[in-house]
């Protein structure tokens, strides 16, 4: 789906989630697909502006600036804010050492989002009326897997009291296979090395993944056996951060990317009218519906 057909809302999750079709909320790999396209698109635009400036085409520069002022694409906005995604993260204690059950799955296993959905009968109905296929391509639906904390080779982060691993985007060797599994879920399995190279070229030097403190996880899962957290993508800066231990309190003002319920209803009506009056010359509408940086 084209980014300009998606909607972005910012605020507290309990307030903005009811505005969306729950199954439309983006997954990590999908969000990052849009972000990477935005990086390449913005980079090309900057180089074109620099080139035109060098050869003195001021008229072109004014036209470009006017166009950007009148219509800034959502894809340019999507890079520099915090986004809560549909991926679920559950920490489960198994045996003597706590496991990190990184459940990169559908919205049905995201307990934080599910609690909000169950409190809103309207969106609960919308969830039953639409499937994932109405909003997401198959390649964006994450898989489920279990990984132990010690297998991830995590390091403590003093600022957040969480644990992390960090991978440089110019890497060609993944010595830790479990870190690579998570990275593939974040960026998508296809062309992983090429995507890292693109990020490095646009000065996105590192990818950091944050996780719950193992000791906190063990204490909190001792009674219920499960500690659920949110998955949050930080702004696309030099170090790209993905927090797999987010809480509603930490991210009280974040964004969602998806399809607003009202907007989708209006779009269906517009599409029906457009189909009725469509001529053979309007065949361009049948083209691809999703942007790609490839």
């Amino acid at each position: 789906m084209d980014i300009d057909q998606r909607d972005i809302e910012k605020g507290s999750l309990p307030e903005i989630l009811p505005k969306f079709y729950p199954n439309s909320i983006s997954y990590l790999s999908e969000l990052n697909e849009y972000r990477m396209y935005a990086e390449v698109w913005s980079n090309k635009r900057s180089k074109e502006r620099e080139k035109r400036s060098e050869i003195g085409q001021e008229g072109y520069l004014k036209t470009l600036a006017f166009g950007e002022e009148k219509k800034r694409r959502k894809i340019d906005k999507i890079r520099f804010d915090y986004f809560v995604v549909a991926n679920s993260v559950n920490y489960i204690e198994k045996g003597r050492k706590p496991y990190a059950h990184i459940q990169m799955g559908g919205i049905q296993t995201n307990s934080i989002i599910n609690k909000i959905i169950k409190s809103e009968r309207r969106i609960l109905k919308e969830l039953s009326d639409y499937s994932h296929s109405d909003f997401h391509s198959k390649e964006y639906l994450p898989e489920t897997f279990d990984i132990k904390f010690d297998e991830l080779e995590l390091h403590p982060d003093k600022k957040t009291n969480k644990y992390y691993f960090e991978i440089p985007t110019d890497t060609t060797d993944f010595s830790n296979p479990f870190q690579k599994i998570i990275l593939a879920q974040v960026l998508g399995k296809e062309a992983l090395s090429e995507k890292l190279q693109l990020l490095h070229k646009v000065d996105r030097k590192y990818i950091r993944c944050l996780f719950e403190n193992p000791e906190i996880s063990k204490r909190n899962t001792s009674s219920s056996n499960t500690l659920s957290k949110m998955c949050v993508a930080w702004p696309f800066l030099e170090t790209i951060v993905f927090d797999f231990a987010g809480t509603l309190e930490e991210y009280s003002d974040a964004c969602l990317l998806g399809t607003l319920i009202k907007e989708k209803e209006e779009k269906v009506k517009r599409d029906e009218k457009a189909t009725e009056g469509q001529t053979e010359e309007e065949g361009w509408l049948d083209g691809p519906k999703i942007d790609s940086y490839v």
Side-chain angles (χ1 to χ4, degrees), residues 95-155:
R96 296 182 179 180
K97 293 184 178 180
Y99 277 61
H101 185 182
I102 313 301
Q103 201 165 44
M104 315 288 281
I107 198 171
Q108 69 274 10
T109 53
N110 189 319
S111 63
I112 295 177
I113 290 181
N114 278 336
K115 287 181 181 179
I116 299 174
I117 292 174
K118 289 178 181 178
S119 67
E120 293 281 344
R121 293 183 179 181
R122 180 172 62 90
I123 59 175
L124 186 62
K125 178 182 180 300
E126 299 297 345
L127 178 60
S128 64
D129 287 347
Y130 290 88
S131 67
H132 288 292
S133 60
D134 291 311
F135 302 102
H136 308 288
S137 299
K138 186 177 180 181
E139 64 266 21
Y140 294 130
L141 299 178
E143 298 176 358
T144 301
F145 52 91
D146 286 0
I147 294 180
K148 293 181 181 179
F149 276 107
D150 53 3
E151 290 177 338
L152 280 174
E153 300 178 8
L154 300 175
H155 304 282

Side-chain angles (χ1 to χ4, degrees), residues 58-68:
E58 294 299 329
Y60 170 84
L61 295 175
K62 290 180 180 179
T63 302
L64 182 64
F66 178 79
E68 290 176 353

